[in-house]
Structures are given as C-alpha cells and as structure tokens.
Amino acid sequence: SLCAAAEPNLSYQELKDLKKAKVLHIDVRERWEIDKFGKIPESINIPLGELMEALQMDPTEFKEQYNQKMPSKSDPVVFSCLAGTRSKQALGFATSLGFS
C-alpha cells in the first residue's frame, strides 16, 4: 500500500527502513532541485508535472525513461518532495489512477 494510507508523514528512519524492504521511492521535486539540493539515494526523480503520464506509461517505456521497473498498482510506493505538498498531490494522483 502507499505509505501514506494511514500515516501520510514518515520520519527519516521510517523511510530508511522501508527502503530496505525494496519500496519504490519517487522524488517528485523538479530536476533543478535535485541538482541544487542533491538526490536521495535509491530514489527516482519524476517531477510532479510528469507523474500522471509516467504512472500510465507502458512498463517498457517507463523502464527506459526512469531506469527502474514500473510499479504495479499494488506495489508499495513512497513519494517525497521538499516540504510535503507535492508528495501529497502525488499520492492523490496515484490513488486516482487505481494505485492502492
């Protein structure tokens, strides 16, 4: 399930623990923010403006573009951004597309 199902905010330690369990971590910040502030290890960057399209891609196209297996609708996914507003929107987008 999306980690925000019951608790929308995760601590740093909770995120580290989830990453050990092979959760897909999607950072929805803009690319310039990643360049300026740094990439979170083992996350993939899909800016919020691209997310709806990305989550509806053909799995082969997703892998080519993001170098990561596309999540299925039931895979655990964590979204992050700088302050939490965009990641909350990302969660709404994913839910509206049928991700659980």
Side-chain angles (χ1 to χ4, degrees):
S1 68
L2 290 163
C3 297
E7 177 54 58
N9 299 309
L10 294 172
S11 71
Y12 176 71
Q13 188 59 52
E14 287 169 322
L15 179 59
K16 279 180 67 172
D17 292 344
L18 282 170
K19 283 175 159 292
K20 289 180 198 158
K22 299 295 182 216
V23 165
L24 178 61
H25 178 187
I26 299 175
D27 186 335
V28 296
R29 293 179 293 162
E30 295 299 320
R31 287 186 177 84
W32 69 264
E33 292 176 280
I34 304 292
D35 294 340
K36 184 174 181 177
F37 301 112
K39 182 181 187 305
I40 299 169
E42 293 145 33
S43 67
I44 62 169
N45 176 232
I46 305 176
L48 186 63
E50 294 175 23
L51 186 66
M52 286 290 278
E53 184 182 339
L55 293 177
Q56 297 176 81
M57 280 180 171
D58 173 79
T60 305
E61 189 182 349
F62 186 95
K63 178 129 177 77
E64 286 171 10
Q65 182 146 350
Y66 299 108
N67 198 28
Q68 178 78 40
K69 179 182 169 283
M70 184 170 175
S72 75
K73 301 237 190 250
S74 61
D75 285 343
V77 178
V78 171
F79 297 103
S80 66
C81 63
L82 193 61
T85 303
R86 288 173 286 179
S87 57
K88 187 179 258 186
Q89 283 181 281
L91 177 63
F93 290 164
T95 304
S96 75
L97 292 172
F99 285 80
S100 59

